[in-house]
C-alpha cells in the first residue's frame, strides 16, 4: 500500500471514530485531488460527516476539484449560510460553471444568498456563452496603470494575491480599461524598484476576443505556452483572463466528445446526466446501421459460397484481413481528424495528406503482406494460399488507408462533421470492399488454390 493509500485509510478511521483532532491534522496536509478522491469513496452518511469536519475554505477547495455532478451533490448537503460562504471563497469562474449547470430557479436562489457585489460579478460572467472565451474567463486578475512603479506593482501583488486567480502575469491597463501591456512576475522581480511599468512591460500582448470559441482559445494558449490569456472586448478593454487549468479541461472535454462522435454517441450531454432511454436513443441508429452492414456483408459472403466450399481455409483468415483493413483506416482517420482544426483544408492540404498517407499505406501494405505470405507458407505449408491472401491484404490495407484519409476530408468539404459520420461510413466501405477484394482474388485464382 502506497503512502497516499495509507493516509486515506488513516483518515477514514479518524472520521469513523470521530477523532476530530487527528482528522484535522491529516486533512491540512492533503492536496485538493486527494481530498476529492477520498470524498468519492465515502458513503452518504460519511460524506455528510466529512463535510461537517472541513473548514469552509476546504469545502470550497473540494468543490473546485470535483466535477459538476459531485459539486451539486455537495451544495445540496450544505446549509444556506454555508453555501454563500463557500461560493464566496471559490474561484469566480468555477462558481460560474457550477451555477451555469443549474436550472434558472435554483441558480437564482443561490445568487440571492451571495453577497450583492459578488453576485453581480457572477451574473455578468454567466451572460457569456459557455463554450466561448467569455464563458471560460475569470475577472480575478491583477492589473496596474503604466505610470506606476515596480515597487507599487509589488505592493499591489501582495494585496491582491489571495483574491486573484493567478499572479504570474500583471496586466497593464489605461484608466479606461484598455489593455496596453503585460508583465511577467519574473520580469517584475528582476526590475529596479523605481522603474516605471511602461519601461519594462511587453506592449505586444497576445489576447483573445471575448466571443472566440474555446477550442481556438485552447490552440492559441498551447501555441504560445502561456499560463493565462487576456480576454478583451472590441475596444481592447480587458474583461478577464483564461487560465491554463481551464484550457486543460477544455482539451479533455473536446477529446471525449471526439471519441463519442467516433463511437456514434453524438450527444454532447454527460452520460451520467441523461436517462438510460435517452442514451439508448443516441446509440440505436448507429447500431442499426452496423446491423444493416452486417446483413449486407453476410449476403456478400453468400455470393462466394462456391469459393469458400472449395477452399475452406479462406474463412479462417477473413476476420484478420477485414480487421487489419479497419485498423489501417482508423489510424488514418485519427490523423486527419487531429489535423483538420489546424489546417486550411483546400486542395493543397488534401493533395498533401493523400500523398503522405498513400505512401505510408503503401509501405505498411508491402511489409504486412510480405510477412503474411511467409507466415502462411512456413506455418501452414500453403504458399499459393499465402500469396493470394497476401495480395488481398496488400490491396485492402492500401485501400483502407486511402479511405480513412479521403472520407473525413470529403465530409469536411461538404460541411458534415467528420468526427460524427466518418466512423460508420468507413466501416461500411471497408467491410464491403475488403470482402470483395479478398474473395474476388481467391475466386480469380481458384484453380491454383485447389490443384497442387
Amino acid at each position: 500500500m502506497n503512502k497516499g493509500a495509507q493516509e486515506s485509510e488513516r483518515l477514514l478511521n479518524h472520521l469513523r471514530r470521530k477523532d476530530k483532532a487527528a482528522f484535522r491534522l491529516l486533512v491540512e496536509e492533503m492536496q485538493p485531488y486527494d481530498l476529492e478522491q477520498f470524498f468519492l469513496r465515502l458513503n452518504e452518511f460519511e460524506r455528510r460527516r466529512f463535510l461537517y469536519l472541513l473548514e469552509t475554505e476546504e469545502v470550497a477547495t473540494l468543490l473546485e476539484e470535483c466535477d459538476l455532478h459531485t459539486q451539486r451533490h455537495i451544495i445540496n448537503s450544505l446549509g444556506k449560510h454555508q453555501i454563500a460562504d463557500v461560493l464566496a471563497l471559490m474561484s469566480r469562474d468555477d462558481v460560474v460553471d457550477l451555477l451555469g449547470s443549474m436550472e434558472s430557479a435554483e441558480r437564482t436562489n443561490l445568487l440571492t444568498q451571495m453577497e450583492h457585489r459578488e453576485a453581480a460579478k457572477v451574473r455578468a460572467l454567466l451572460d457569456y456563452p459557455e463554450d466561448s472565451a467569455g464563458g471560460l474567463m475569470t475577472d480575478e486578475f491583477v492589473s496596474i496603470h503604466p505610470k506606476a512603479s515596480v515597487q507599487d506593482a509589488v505592493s499591489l501583488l501582495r494585496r491582491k494575491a489571495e483574491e486573484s486567480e493567478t499572479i504570474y502575469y500583471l496586466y497593464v491597463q489605461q484608466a479606461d480599461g484598455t489593455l496596453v501591456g503585460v508583465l511577467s512576475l519574473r520580469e517584475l522581480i528582476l526590475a529596479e524598484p523605481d522603474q516605471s511599468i511602461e519601461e519594462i512591460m511587453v506592449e505586444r500582448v497576445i489576447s483573445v476576443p471575448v466571443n472566440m470559441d474555446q477550442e481556438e482559445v485552447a490552440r492559441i494558449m498551447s501555441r504560445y505556452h502561456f499560463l493565462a490569456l487576456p480576454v478583451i472586448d472590441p475596444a481592447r478593454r480587458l474583461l478577464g483572463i483564461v487560465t491554463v487549468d481551464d484550457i486543460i479541461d477544455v482539451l479533455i472535454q473536446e477529446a471525449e466528445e471526439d471519441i463519442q462522435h467516433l463511437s456514434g454517441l453524438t450527444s454532447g450531454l454527460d452520460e451520467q446526466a441523461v436517462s438510460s432511454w435517452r442514451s439508448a436513443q443516441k446509440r440505436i441508429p448507429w447500431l442499426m446501421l452496423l446491423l444493416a452492414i452486417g446483413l449486407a456483408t453476410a449476403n456478400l459472403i453468400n455470393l462466394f459460397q462456391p469459393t469458400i466450399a472449395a477452399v475452406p481455409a479462406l474463412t479462417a483468415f477473413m476476420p484478420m484481413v477485414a480487421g487489419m483493413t479497419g485498423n489501417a483506416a482508423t489510424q488514418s482517420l485519427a490523423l486527419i481528424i487531429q489535423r483538420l482544426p489546424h489546417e486550411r483544408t483546400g486542395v493543397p492540404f488534401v493533395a498533401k495528406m493523400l500523398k503522405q498517407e498513400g505512401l505510408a499505406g503503401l509501405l505498411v501494405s508491402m511489409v504486412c503482406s510480405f510477412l503474411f505470405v511467409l507466415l502462411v507458407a512456413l506455418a501452414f505449408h500453403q504458399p499459393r494460399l499465402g500469396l493470394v491472401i497476401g495480395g488481398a491484404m496488400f490491396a485492402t490495407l492500401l485501400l483502407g488507408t486511402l479511405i480513412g484519409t479521403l472520407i473525413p476530408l470529403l465530409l469536411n468539404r461538404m460541411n458534415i462533421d467528420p468526427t460524427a459520420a466518418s466512423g460508420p461510413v468507413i466501416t461500411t466501405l471497408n467491410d464491403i470492399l475488403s470482402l470483395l477484394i479478398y474473395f474476388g482474388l481467391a475466386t480469380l485464382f481458384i484453380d491454383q488454390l485447389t490443384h497442387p
Side-chain angles (χ1 to χ4, degrees):
M1 185 181 295
N2 60 39
K3 184 179 178 181
Q6 290 174 345
E7 287 183 351
S8 183
E9 285 301 320
R10 289 205 306 274
L11 187 62
L12 184 58
N13 290 332
H14 297 327
L15 180 66
R16 288 171 176 171
R17 293 201 307 265
K18 301 181 183 179
D19 189 344
K20 184 175 180 179
F23 175 88
R24 293 291 322 150
L25 283 173
L26 268 179
V27 163
E28 289 169 2
E29 297 295 323
M30 293 181 71
Q31 295 295 320
Y33 172 79
D34 297 322
L35 274 179
E36 183 235 7
Q37 291 299 302
F38 178 78
F39 179 80
L40 292 176
R41 63 175 290 197
L42 301 177
N43 61 39
E44 184 61 31
F45 176 76
E46 290 169 340
R47 286 183 176 186
R48 290 183 179 274
R49 182 182 291 176
F50 179 71
L51 293 172
Y52 175 76
L53 292 174
L54 290 181
E55 300 290 340
T56 305
E57 294 88 347
E58 292 164 346
V59 177
T61 300
L62 175 64
L63 273 170
E64 289 178 344
E65 192 68 29
C66 294
D67 59 34
L68 290 173
H69 176 75
T70 309
Q71 283 181 338
R72 297 186 66 174
H73 174 81
I74 293 173
I75 287 291
N76 292 333
S77 302
L78 302 176
K80 287 186 177 181
H81 295 298
Q82 190 180 10
I83 290 174
D85 293 338
V86 167
L87 293 179
L89 291 169
M90 291 176 63
S91 298
R92 201 166 291 137
D93 56 335
D94 289 322
V95 176
V96 170
D97 290 340
L98 173 60
L99 297 184
S101 69
M102 296 179 174
E103 297 294 333
S104 178
E106 188 179 5
R107 180 166 59 244
T108 302
N109 180 48
L110 285 177
L111 284 169
T112 56
Q113 295 176 39
M114 297 174 64
E115 191 268 329
H116 179 71
R117 280 184 57 192
E118 184 68 19
K121 292 178 180 179
V122 171
R123 284 193 181 95
L125 292 175
L126 281 167
D127 288 338
Y128 296 108
E130 183 182 358
D131 58 355
S132 68
L136 288 176
M137 75 180 183
T138 178
D139 57 1
E140 296 171 308
F141 58 89
V142 184
S143 66
I144 196 166
H145 194 273
K147 297 297 183 182
S149 69
V150 168
Q151 189 172 352
D152 294 334
V154 172
S155 299
L156 179 67
L157 280 177
R158 287 177 181 148
R159 294 197 308 272
K160 296 284 189 179
E162 283 294 323
E163 61 192 65
S164 300
E165 183 83 6
T166 179
I167 60 169
Y168 293 117
Y169 299 117
L170 186 66
Y171 297 98
V172 188
Q173 289 180 279
Q174 297 285 10
D176 62 356
T178 304
L179 178 64
V180 294
V182 66
L183 190 65
S184 72
L185 182 60
R186 181 178 183 275
E187 291 164 332
L188 188 67
I189 292 172
L190 294 175
E192 296 297 328
D194 58 348
Q195 282 187 282
S196 69
I197 294 300
E198 64 183 348
E199 289 181 64
I200 59 174
M201 71 182 186
V202 176
E203 295 183 29
R204 183 179 176 271
V205 185
I206 305 298
S207 59
V208 295
V210 68
N211 60 350
M212 179 177 280
D213 185 83
Q214 62 179 12
E215 287 189 67
E216 185 59 30
V217 177
R219 281 194 287 274
I220 291 174
M221 184 169 282
S222 63
R223 190 178 301 150
Y224 290 99
H225 306 292
F226 290 152
L227 297 176
L229 268 178
V231 180
I232 58 173
D233 67 7
R236 288 201 59 81
R237 288 187 293 265
L238 181 59
L239 302 176
I241 61 171
V242 177
T243 53
V244 68
D245 58 316
D246 295 312
I247 292 302
I248 291 172
D249 292 337
V250 169
L251 294 173
I252 293 172
Q253 174 190 333
E254 297 296 339
E256 289 175 344
E257 287 179 2
D258 286 347
I259 291 170
Q260 287 178 342
H261 283 317
L262 289 170
S263 304
L265 303 175
T266 56
S267 169
L269 299 173
D270 185 344
E271 198 76 6
Q272 293 180 342
V274 298
S275 67
S276 298
W277 171 241
R278 288 281 303 280
S279 180
Q281 282 181 308
K282 297 295 179 182
R283 303 181 191 194
I284 287 172
W286 299 104
L287 294 176
M288 290 298 100
L289 175 61
L290 294 176
L291 177 61
I293 294 170
L295 291 173
T297 302
N299 288 329
L300 187 63
I301 293 173
N302 285 333
L303 295 176
F304 293 100
Q305 280 300 333
T307 302
I308 295 172
V311 189
L314 287 170
T315 56
F317 299 104
M318 179 181 68
M320 184 183 298
V321 173
M324 289 190 69
T325 305
N327 288 336
T330 301
Q331 288 171 343
S332 295
L333 169 63
L335 178 67
I336 298 300
I337 293 296
Q338 186 181 38
R339 295 285 298 275
L340 277 176
H342 307 279
E343 302 280 355
R344 294 184 177 179
T345 54
V347 173
F349 173 69
V350 173
K352 174 186 172 183
M353 294 313 299
L354 283 174
K355 180 180 178 181
Q356 178 181 312
E357 286 301 290
L359 181 58
L362 182 63
L363 293 172
V364 169
S365 302
M366 289 172 62
V367 172
C368 290
S369 58
F370 176 72
L371 291 175
F372 192 79
V373 170
L374 283 180
L375 173 68
V376 176
L378 296 175
F380 299 93
H381 307 292
Q382 297 187 61
R384 293 181 182 179
L385 179 62
L387 284 170
V388 170
I389 299 175
M393 183 173 288
F394 174 84
T396 57
L397 281 175
L398 182 57
L399 186 63
T401 301
L402 293 174
I403 288 174
T405 303
L406 193 58
I407 293 300
L409 291 172
L410 288 175
L411 292 173
N412 184 68
R413 189 74 176 173
M414 296 163 62
N415 294 320
I416 299 172
D417 183 3
T419 60
S422 294
V425 173
I426 289 173
T427 299
T428 303
L429 289 175
N430 275 342
D431 283 357
I432 294 174
L433 294 177
S434 64
L435 288 175
L436 275 173
I437 292 171
Y438 180 66
F439 286 116
L441 202 59
T443 303
L444 184 64
F445 293 100
I446 191 69
D447 290 338
Q448 284 78 9
L449 293 175
T450 54
H451 296 92

